[in-house]
Structures are given as C-alpha cells and as structure tokens.
Amino acid sequence: MVTKLFLRPQSLPLTAFTPKFIFPSKRFLPIYFTPPFSSTIVHSQSQFSAHTFSYGPSLRKGYHPFPSVSRQLPLDNSQPVIKTVIGNPERERLQNEKSEEVILDEDAFIRIFDIAALRIPSRGCFELENRLRGHLLNWPRIRNIARVPGDEVEAELAELVGEQNRSYSDDGDGVDIDSLHRRIYGKAEDDGEPLSPVLYREKLVKTFDSKGYVNFRHLAKMSRPKKKKEKKEEGKDEGIKRMGKSEFAVVEVVESEELEVDDMKGLLGDEFKGGKWRGSTRLLLLDERYGDKGVEELPEAIKALLKGETQESMKSTIELVRCRLTLYYDYWQMNEVLEALLPKDMVIPSAFETVGHIAHLNLRDEHLPYKKLIAKVVLDKNKPKMQTVVNKIDVINNDYRTMQLEVLAGNHSLVTTVVENGLRFHLDLATVYWNSRLATERHRLLSGFTCKDVVCDVFAGVGPISISAARIVKKVYANDLNPNAVEYLERNSVLNKLERKIEVFNMEGRRFISAMFASEKAPKITQVVMNLPKDAAEYLDTFKGILRDRSDVEFISPTIHVYGFSKARDPEFDFHERIRIALTEVAVDVDMRRVRLVAPGKWMLCASFKLPRSVAFSKRGLNMKIT
C-alpha cells in the first residue's frame, strides 16, 4: 500500500534533471533543445564529476521515475543546449524570432530520494522533533514532520475516542474499528442496532435543509463539465502523478520486507479498513543517511526511543517506515535549474532588478543565444510576483534616459506600479527611467531633509525623490525634460495625495535652475537635488553668478546634492575635481559618498556641498558648459 503526502511550498521552489524543449508554433520548423539525459547523446566528462555532493537535495543525486531515463547518466552540460543545423538560414532566423516561446518539459526535472521515517502519534511529534533534531532530514523547504492522508482525527471525535494509549481493544492491539463506529454513530456495520434519537436527528439535519429539501453536498461539483483527461505520455511511470501548481514535493510510504522481520512493519494498511487504528499519526523524516539502514544501524538516540516506547506500553507506538521523497520542478531554485540547462563554464545569471511586476535582466553577450530559456526559468521561479521578463539591449544614450528593452517572456505590458517608501508610483518602463537599486540611496537622502526645507529636484523623473520629500518638507519644485515622466509625476503626486505640496515643471535642466533662482522662490530654496549621474556635474556651471543681480535679497546658501559616475582609480578625487572645475572655485568643501558599483571599476557617487557665495554672486559669465 502506498500513501502520498503533499508538501506545500513555504518559498519559491525548483527541480531538475535535464529537460527537452519545443516551440509550439507549427508555422515554423522547430528548434530542438537537447536534454543532457537523452540516451542518444554521447556524453563527455560531467562538469560535476570533480565535486562530491554529500548532503542535501541536488539534481546530481537521486533518480528519475521514468524508465526511459537512466539514473546512471551524469548531468552533463558540455553539449550545446540548442541543436541547430549549420548553414541553415531558416534555423538561424528562427533563433531570433521574437514570437517564439520556450516550453520546458518539467517532468524531466523530477528527482526521487529514498529516505526513512518514524511514524509517531501526532500529539508527540513536536517533542520528538526537538529530541531528534540532529538526526532529521532538514532539507530546505521540506518539513521534518509530514502528515499522513486519511489519518486525521477531529477534536470532537478525539474526545469520544479518548486517550489513544488507553483506547485498546481486548487484545491490547489498538482500537477496534467496529467498537469505534458504535461509539461515534451508535451502531456498527451489519450491527442492526438503531441510531440513538440524538444521532438520528443529527443525521436528518445533515440530509435535509431548512425547507425540507434534500441537501446535495457535491451539487456544484456534479454540475461542472467533466475535464478532458490528459493523454499519458509513453514511457512514463503511471504511478507518479503530477500535483497542483502550489505543490512541489510528495512523500510516499512504501512497504519494506526488512522491517517486517523486526516486527516494525509501519504499514498504513488499506486505509485502516478491517484493521486496528491508533489515532492520528505523523511521519518524522529521518536524515538521508539512514534511508537504507536497518533498525540496528540507526543512531543510538533513535534505537533508545524505539526501545523505550516498547518497554512502556508492551507495544511500540512508534514505527520505522521506508519512504520515497519526490521533488518536482517547482522545488528547485532558479540558479539550480539554469545551471543544469546552460552550457558548462557559463556564468549563471542569478540576479535581476525588480520594477513592479517586471523582472529586468542585464544579460551578457554569452547569454543572448539562451535568453528565451533564461527568461522562462526566471518567470517560472518568481510567479506570481513577476509577470514580465525584459532585457536591456542597449545602453542609455538619449536625453530622456529611457532604456531600450526587449520583452523575453510573460506579459508584454511595461506599465506597472512600484511601491517604495510607503508610496505608489505608476510608470511605463518603455518611456521613463526607473532604478529600483537606488531605493536605499533615496531613503538616505530623504533622511537629511526637515520640515523647514524647500526642495528643488532638477531631474525628478516620475517623482521617487520629489513625492517622497513632499511628505517631509515644506515645498517641492520638481522638473524633468521628458514629457512622459512629467505626466507620470503629476499623476503620482495626485495618487499619493501630495499634489498641493509639489509644483511640476517640464523644462531643460539649466533653464529650470536659472528660472527658479531668478524668481521670488530663490531665497526659500534650501536643497537642490541633481540626480543625473551621467552628466549632472556639467550643469553646475549654471550656478556661476546666478544671484549676481540680486545682491539686495537675503540669501541662504542651498545644499546641492549632485550625482555622478567615475572610472578613475580614486573616484572621490576625480569627481571632486570635476565639481571644482565646473564651479571654477578652488576651495569647495564637499561631502563625498560612494553610492554603488555600477560596473567593474565604475562607481556612482553623491557629492553634497553648500553653494559658495563667491560662486552664486560671481560677476563672471554664465552658462559655460564644461566639457
């Protein structure tokens, strides 16, 4: 008798073997993805042969349930994933076809592990789990305690049955099923005894509704159309059934002849029909090292537990059973699946930027032939949070700072909503700029603002700094050159109910700075944010002599926060020099901070300094762009 236990995921899961792929479109010739486990492939030395995985679940361990796949074959990614015909232009065209979709054979990722377990009464499972902590399975996302289907007792029934250790039949071997039925229902099968009046009335209540009509408990299920049965693929084990989308592992209790000799059968029986029942039980999964060991080979702690239980009650309530743990595709992590699919020695893409429901990848050139495959795995392993996977195909080289993106998988819409700092931001990633990696930096910048500040955001974008600052400061003047960004900036300010504290402009950066400091708003501005790392430092020349015609106005030097990139060996010194040259000021007290490493040897920095009065009231020329 085989009993299956379904474990539901606590976090994102995965699985692996080597899958095959097909493209569903019948209009084109298919591109075949060659599975490493195919018996027709000549395998070279496995890339994992130099490593020994002695503990934990792995795609290099266990075996596959389908007889067509040999468990002796190594996981070898030395063969190319995409098999094409050299010189065939049609195949080359299909590789770049944007409409094609990759389909993974998820059944090829199933792995089975033989383990042992202790079947114990449910009331003592947590106590024994702590007692045997060092001897349990302890695999990621797999609970040490597994439930046995059909072996549950409701609290009301448990009171009728009483303490399970005291509820034995005459032979002392457990509660007799007939006796249990008499106590619960008032009679047993073929007993002929009528139900008690209370139980008979309860039966009528469950049979008829308040109007006297018969209750059909499964009426909704009966009225649904029957689902079409899926065709079973040839060569696959019919005993292995796939689970729902939220299930990723199955524990099967199997019979073992070795245990019968030790009088430790551990069988569940035919759902306890005609047998003895000891109440609700659980399975305590033991470490994988004990999967093929007998009772005498188990650790002393487990043997002492079994011996002690037997001596106390003359019949042990703890039984040793053999189990099969099946891990499906949904169990394995994203990097494990990609490692099994991508060629040997290729760097596995393991990180991406999250923008709402969009996963933003920055793939290397070596990844591009497998971009659809990578996107498919990323989407599978991050659903339902991620619904779209995109890749940046070119550097940002336009005035609006928009990225050239290619949708690789999922929903093709790039309009999304991002939640940051307790605020919501609507944006279209195809027409505006957004960088989720700067959330920490934005929070740091905002922590320095007070309720007396007036902020001037020169390159506001959709408003991550402006709208967040509006909750803290007195007033915010936000500007951006991109009209799409300005539209979303206004929409987001209304969405977050901060439109009264934000004034929005759509102007070029230098013109905006000049206009703001030429107006009556200039004396109130205390903070100026210039978050355009590519060339924000070049806009600093606008502050040269910006108040030379307003010497009669009381002026408080604003604090300027300017961002920039540097590839120099000493990035702080390099960026400081660029600021000093732009302001043509020898002594500028700058507070420099490294924000993040955007590329090897390329730092993003933030420089904060008070605008020197000698610069603001200078009589020299203005708007000289520094190159």
Side-chain angles (χ1 to χ4, degrees), residues 9 121 249 258 266 347 355 513 531 563 622:
E258 177 186 352
V347 177
V355 183
I513 296 173
N531 187 9
Y563 290 83
L622 299 176

Side-chain angles (χ1 to χ4, degrees), residues 440-477:
T440 303
E441 172 60 21
R442 289 191 280 262
H443 181 73
R444 183 203 65 85
L445 182 65
L446 293 170
S447 64
F449 295 168
T450 66
C451 60
K452 299 180 180 179
D453 283 325
V454 175
V455 177
C456 182
D457 194 353
V458 184
F459 311 105
V462 298
I465 294 178
S466 301
I467 296 177
S468 299
R471 298 195 303 179
I472 305 172
V473 303
K474 185 185 300 184
K475 187 72 175 180
V476 176
Y477 302 106

